[in-house]
Amino acid sequence: MLPGVIYASIVPFLTKIRVGSRHTLPSQKLLRSSLHLSTSHVVFSGIQPTGVPHLGNYLGALRQWVRLQNEAQPNTQLLFSIVDLHAITVNPDAQQLQRWKRQTLAALLSVGLDPEQAIIFYQSSVPAHTELMWILSCTASTGHLSRMTQWKTKLALADSASLLDPTNRSKLKLGLFSYPVLQAADILLYGTTHVPVGQDQIQHVEFTRDCANNFNALHGEVFVEPVALISPTKRVMSLKNPLVKMSKSHEDHRSRILITDTPDDIKIKVRRAMTDSMDGVSFDELQRPGVSNLLSIMAALDQHGTSIDELVQKCSTLGMRDFKDRVTVTISEGLADIRDKYYHLMKFDDGRYLEDIATEGARKAREKADIILEKVRHAVGF
């Protein structure tokens, strides 16, 4: 192991976490101890039910989950949750939330997650999540919570926003403010050792470790302190504004590609993607962010594993229209199987198959959650 570098050891494609960089957790000592707690691993991650995932969700998270599943050792347990409790912090319509949950579940299966290899479940189907959240809340730091960016992002506030501002306090609801505590409960409830996340979510793993450490210091060693697994995939940026990441919060639906979009849908969106007026095709994220974003997407979905540099060589003399047509073909081919499987699952057995998957996943998750929760309850005197 190189000095100052922590390697996540489940599968080789995962990237290293550099101690002392802006992407690391605060304690080098704690990170090292977590990697050697046992020979077995527990991997947990969650996705909000916002309907059909977009390309950024797929390349940035879901595809990594599938690789984790397919390359995991037999003693690795994997849990992937559709976190519907988190979703209600923005008060969605009840019927819409139900549709989004089913769509998200179908999407997880469509991209390749296998309920025989991983536990896939709705968060709200496991009551232990909310019980543990309350227990963790009793030792969680409000100062740490106030510095988190989640509530600021949701309220469209600057990262420097403070709770001392009465306007900010009037907008902020308790559920949104305490969101990271529930997220910590999600992770700690299963004895999670590794959490696959994007770089913008590292702070949540740091907060989870803080919650575990606070509880353990008061009640004894109950929780494992998990390690973040950082995806090596480049962030997928918005097609309409390549300076921000692809998101469903963007009001223009053409800013994102859904994993179920038809070839015609993809063609329209790519054709209208923001690029520039420079000649040819080159990769330069500062000077040509739009073109660079399309090249990154193309490389990520290319079925022959063609690198960005190789794509640049092949496309360097193309006009922008012809280049975008090639991007369209690559995306359409890369998503074809996922799209077909998704629509099959949504119709199959009148939806009963998806219900059965969710029910069985919840049963398995409850069994595992109850083991940790019983230790927690005993530790606090319940």
Side-chain angles (χ1 to χ4, degrees), residues 102-335:
R102 288 184 65 251
Q103 290 171 345
T104 305
L105 177 57
L108 295 187
L109 301 178
S110 299
V111 301
L113 289 182
D114 182 352
E116 295 299 321
Q117 296 178 263
I119 298 174
I120 306 168
F121 66 102
Y122 295 135
Q123 177 192 31
S124 62
S125 297
V126 183
H129 284 258
T130 49
E131 181 174 350
L132 182 56
M133 179 199 178
W134 172 250
I135 294 171
L136 292 177
S137 296
C138 295
T139 55
S141 165
T142 55
H144 197 157
L145 281 171
S146 69
R147 295 190 297 273
M148 301 291 281
T149 60
Q150 184 72 34
W151 62 273
K152 300 173 186 178
T153 301
K154 291 289 185 180
L155 296 178
L157 299 173
D159 287 346
S160 59
S162 169
L163 285 177
L164 297 177
D165 186 328
T167 303
N168 294 341
R169 288 201 304 272
S170 67
K171 293 179 180 179
L172 181 61
K173 306 301 181 185
L174 178 59
L176 183 57
F177 182 67
S178 60
Y179 181 110
V181 185
L182 179 56
Q183 197 166 43
D186 298 337
I187 295 168
L188 297 176
L189 189 56
Y190 300 98
T192 301
T193 58
H194 297 81
V195 187
V197 293
Q199 291 183 348
D200 57 347
Q201 290 290 311
I202 291 179
Q203 64 169 322
H204 290 284
V205 181
E206 178 183 341
F207 181 78
T208 298
R209 291 170 60 84
D210 188 47
C211 287
N213 189 49
N214 289 345
F215 186 94
N216 289 346
L218 189 62
H219 298 292
E221 295 295 319
V222 175
F223 292 123
V224 173
E225 296 180 33
V227 173
L229 298 177
I230 312 303
S231 168
T233 304
K234 285 180 174 290
R235 287 199 306 173
V236 178
M237 311 307 282
S238 166
L239 298 181
K240 303 301 289 185
N241 179 3
L243 299 180
V244 299
K245 69 179 184 178
M246 188 174 287
S247 171
K248 286 194 174 181
S249 63
H250 196 291
E251 60 184 14
D252 189 343
H253 73 279
R254 296 169 299 180
S255 68
R256 54 192 172 271
I257 293 173
L258 303 183
I259 62 172
T260 57
D261 276 349
T262 66
D264 285 343
D265 292 332
I266 295 169
K267 182 176 182 179
I268 292 171
K269 291 178 180 180
V270 173
R271 279 272 181 91
R272 297 179 180 178
M274 180 181 291
T275 49
D276 55 59
S277 58
M278 296 172 64
D279 293 334
V281 174
S282 59
F283 187 85
D284 185 333
E285 292 179 302
L286 292 178
Q287 299 298 322
R288 310 192 73 182
V291 173
S292 299
N293 186 42
L294 294 180
L295 282 166
S296 295
I297 292 172
M298 201 174 177
L301 290 173
D302 185 86
Q303 296 181 341
H304 305 290
T306 309
S307 69
I308 291 178
D309 288 341
E310 291 169 333
L311 289 173
V312 169
Q313 290 180 359
K314 291 181 178 181
C315 302
S316 60
T317 61
L318 294 178
M320 199 51 57
R321 185 182 183 89
D322 290 338
F323 169 62
K324 288 182 175 181
D325 285 345
R326 288 203 185 183
V327 174
T328 296
V329 171
T330 300
I331 296 174
S332 298
E333 291 178 349
L335 296 179

